[in-house]
Amino acid sequence: MHQLTLRDEEVAGAEGFDGAEVIPLHEEAEEPRPAPGMRRAGWLLVACGLALLPWLFVLATGLPATATAAHWPVAWVGLDALEALGLIATGLLAARGDRRHALAAAATATLLVVDAWFDTTTAAPGGDFATAVAMALGAELPLAALCGRLALQALSRPA
Protein backbone atom coordinates (compact mmCIF):
# COMPACT_ATOMS: atom_id res chain seq x y z
CA MET A 1 0.00 0.00 0.00
CA HIS A 2 1.42 3.36 -1.01
CA GLN A 3 0.97 6.42 1.12
CA LEU A 4 0.77 9.94 -0.28
CA THR A 5 2.54 12.40 1.96
CA LEU A 6 2.53 16.15 1.34
CA ARG A 7 4.29 18.64 3.50
CA ASP A 8 2.63 21.95 4.40
CA GLU A 9 5.05 23.82 2.15
CA GLU A 10 4.14 21.67 -0.87
CA VAL A 11 0.43 22.22 -0.37
CA ALA A 12 0.85 25.95 0.25
CA GLY A 13 3.01 26.32 -2.89
CA ALA A 14 0.72 24.28 -5.15
CA GLU A 15 -1.28 26.04 -7.79
CA GLY A 16 -4.86 26.85 -6.78
CA PHE A 17 -4.27 26.23 -3.08
CA ASP A 18 -3.38 29.76 -2.01
CA GLY A 19 -4.27 30.17 1.64
CA ALA A 20 -5.56 26.61 1.87
CA GLU A 21 -5.81 25.22 5.36
CA VAL A 22 -4.08 21.90 5.95
CA ILE A 23 -6.24 19.58 8.01
CA PRO A 24 -4.54 16.48 9.40
CA LEU A 25 -6.23 13.22 8.48
CA HIS A 26 -5.74 11.61 11.86
CA GLU A 27 -6.18 13.69 14.96
CA GLU A 28 -6.39 12.33 18.44
CA ALA A 29 -10.03 12.55 19.42
CA GLU A 30 -10.66 14.21 22.74
CA GLU A 31 -12.71 12.35 25.32
CA PRO A 32 -16.12 14.01 25.46
CA ARG A 33 -16.82 15.71 28.76
CA PRO A 34 -19.97 14.50 30.45
CA ALA A 35 -22.85 16.90 30.81
CA PRO A 36 -22.98 18.71 34.18
CA GLY A 37 -26.04 16.70 35.25
CA MET A 38 -24.26 13.44 34.45
CA ARG A 39 -21.19 14.50 36.40
CA ARG A 40 -23.33 15.42 39.42
CA ALA A 41 -25.16 12.09 39.22
CA GLY A 42 -21.81 10.30 39.03
CA TRP A 43 -20.43 12.04 42.11
CA LEU A 44 -23.70 11.45 43.97
CA LEU A 45 -23.39 7.72 43.27
CA VAL A 46 -19.78 7.71 44.47
CA ALA A 47 -20.84 9.47 47.68
CA CYS A 48 -23.66 6.97 48.25
CA GLY A 49 -21.29 4.06 47.71
CA LEU A 50 -18.83 5.51 50.22
CA ALA A 51 -21.65 6.13 52.70
CA LEU A 52 -22.55 2.43 52.52
CA LEU A 53 -19.10 1.36 53.73
CA PRO A 54 -19.77 2.11 57.44
CA TRP A 55 -23.19 0.49 57.07
CA LEU A 56 -21.44 -2.76 56.04
CA PHE A 57 -19.75 -2.80 59.46
CA VAL A 58 -23.08 -2.24 61.20
CA LEU A 59 -24.61 -5.15 59.28
CA ALA A 60 -21.62 -7.44 59.83
CA THR A 61 -21.66 -6.90 63.59
CA GLY A 62 -25.39 -6.52 64.20
CA LEU A 63 -27.23 -9.10 62.10
CA PRO A 64 -28.18 -12.42 63.68
CA ALA A 65 -26.37 -15.53 62.44
CA THR A 66 -29.67 -17.08 61.33
CA ALA A 67 -33.03 -15.69 60.30
CA THR A 68 -36.40 -16.94 59.09
CA ALA A 69 -37.77 -15.46 55.91
CA ALA A 70 -41.53 -15.29 55.51
CA HIS A 71 -41.48 -15.39 51.68
CA TRP A 72 -38.40 -17.56 51.05
CA PRO A 73 -39.81 -19.46 48.03
CA VAL A 74 -41.07 -16.24 46.41
CA ALA A 75 -37.63 -14.67 46.73
CA TRP A 76 -35.84 -17.59 45.05
CA VAL A 77 -38.47 -18.19 42.36
CA GLY A 78 -38.44 -14.46 41.59
CA LEU A 79 -34.65 -14.36 41.27
CA ASP A 80 -34.58 -17.42 39.01
CA ALA A 81 -37.45 -16.01 36.92
CA LEU A 82 -35.46 -12.79 36.40
CA GLU A 83 -32.44 -14.86 35.37
CA ALA A 84 -34.53 -16.83 32.86
CA LEU A 85 -35.98 -13.61 31.45
CA GLY A 86 -32.50 -12.10 31.22
CA LEU A 87 -31.04 -15.13 29.44
CA ILE A 88 -33.93 -15.22 26.97
CA ALA A 89 -33.76 -11.47 26.28
CA THR A 90 -29.98 -11.54 25.91
CA GLY A 91 -30.15 -14.52 23.57
CA LEU A 92 -32.89 -13.09 21.38
CA LEU A 93 -31.23 -9.68 21.11
CA ALA A 94 -27.82 -11.21 20.39
CA ALA A 95 -29.27 -13.58 17.77
CA ARG A 96 -30.86 -10.59 16.00
CA GLY A 97 -27.59 -8.64 16.13
CA ASP A 98 -29.16 -5.96 18.31
CA ARG A 99 -26.44 -4.11 20.25
CA ARG A 100 -28.84 -3.67 23.18
CA HIS A 101 -28.02 -7.24 24.10
CA ALA A 102 -25.09 -5.71 26.02
CA LEU A 103 -27.51 -4.18 28.53
CA ALA A 104 -29.45 -7.40 29.03
CA ALA A 105 -26.20 -9.40 29.22
CA ALA A 106 -24.72 -7.13 31.90
CA ALA A 107 -27.87 -7.29 34.03
CA THR A 108 -28.15 -11.06 33.59
CA ALA A 109 -24.51 -11.62 34.51
CA THR A 110 -25.09 -9.65 37.69
CA LEU A 111 -28.19 -11.68 38.58
CA LEU A 112 -26.34 -14.95 38.00
CA VAL A 113 -23.42 -13.95 40.24
CA VAL A 114 -25.85 -12.82 42.96
CA ASP A 115 -27.69 -16.14 42.70
CA ALA A 116 -24.44 -18.12 43.01
CA TRP A 117 -23.41 -16.01 46.00
CA PHE A 118 -26.68 -16.40 47.89
CA ASP A 119 -27.09 -20.08 46.98
CA THR A 120 -23.70 -20.95 48.43
CA THR A 121 -23.83 -18.66 51.45
CA THR A 122 -27.34 -19.67 52.55
CA ALA A 123 -27.08 -23.42 51.87
CA ALA A 124 -27.11 -25.83 54.79
CA PRO A 125 -23.90 -27.82 55.28
CA GLY A 126 -23.66 -31.16 53.49
CA GLY A 127 -25.68 -32.04 50.41
CA ASP A 128 -27.36 -28.64 50.06
CA PHE A 129 -24.00 -26.86 50.07
CA ALA A 130 -22.50 -29.35 47.58
CA THR A 131 -25.47 -28.82 45.25
CA ALA A 132 -25.15 -25.02 45.55
CA VAL A 133 -21.42 -25.16 44.72
CA ALA A 134 -22.06 -27.52 41.79
CA MET A 135 -24.75 -25.20 40.40
CA ALA A 136 -22.53 -22.15 40.87
CA LEU A 137 -19.49 -23.70 39.20
CA GLY A 138 -21.38 -25.69 36.57
CA ALA A 139 -24.06 -23.25 35.46
CA GLU A 140 -24.43 -19.84 37.13
CA LEU A 141 -20.85 -18.57 37.02
CA PRO A 142 -20.05 -19.89 33.50
CA LEU A 143 -23.26 -18.29 32.20
CA ALA A 144 -22.37 -15.06 34.04
CA ALA A 145 -18.93 -15.12 32.38
CA LEU A 146 -20.50 -15.64 28.95
CA CYS A 147 -22.94 -12.77 29.51
CA GLY A 148 -20.14 -10.54 30.78
CA ARG A 149 -18.05 -11.34 27.72
CA LEU A 150 -20.97 -10.55 25.39
CA ALA A 151 -21.53 -7.22 27.13
CA LEU A 152 -17.85 -6.24 26.99
CA GLN A 153 -17.48 -7.25 23.36
CA ALA A 154 -20.48 -5.13 22.38
CA LEU A 155 -19.08 -2.13 24.24
CA SER A 156 -15.65 -2.46 22.63
CA ARG A 157 -16.99 -2.51 19.04
CA PRO A 158 -17.43 0.80 17.23
CA ALA A 159 -21.03 1.87 16.73
Side-chain angles (χ1 to χ4, degrees):
M1 176 183 215
H2 296 285
Q3 183 176 6
L4 175 62
T5 306
L6 294 175
R7 293 186 298 274
D8 291 348
E9 309 84 52
E10 292 173 320
V11 173
E15 206 172 296
F17 288 99
D18 295 337
E21 179 184 358
V22 176
I23 301 171
L25 293 178
H26 300 285
E27 285 188 30
E28 290 296 319
E30 287 185 32
E31 283 291 321
R33 290 188 51 84
M38 183 67 72
R39 290 179 63 196
R40 281 192 295 275
W43 286 115
L44 175 64
L45 292 173
V46 169
C48 290
L50 291 172
L52 276 175
L53 295 178
W55 178 245
L56 295 175
F57 177 77
V58 171
L59 288 176
T61 58
L63 284 175
T66 61
T68 302
H71 303 287
W72 191 248
V74 174
W76 285 111
V77 170
L79 178 59
D80 286 353
L82 288 171
E83 290 171 11
L85 181 64
L87 290 167
I88 293 166
T90 300
L92 289 174
L93 290 168
R96 290 191 339 214
D98 190 324
R99 287 177 50 98
R100 292 175 294 181
H101 78 273
L103 300 171
T108 304
T110 303
L111 288 170
L112 288 162
V113 169
V114 166
D115 191 6
W117 173 263
F118 282 104
D119 279 347
T120 56
T121 59
T122 61
D128 286 347
F129 181 73
T131 300
V133 169
M135 288 294 295
L137 296 177
E140 294 155 348
L141 295 178
L143 284 171
L146 174 61
C147 287
R149 182 175 178 191
L150 288 172
L152 290 174
Q153 282 178 338
L155 292 174
S156 66
R157 277 190 303 220

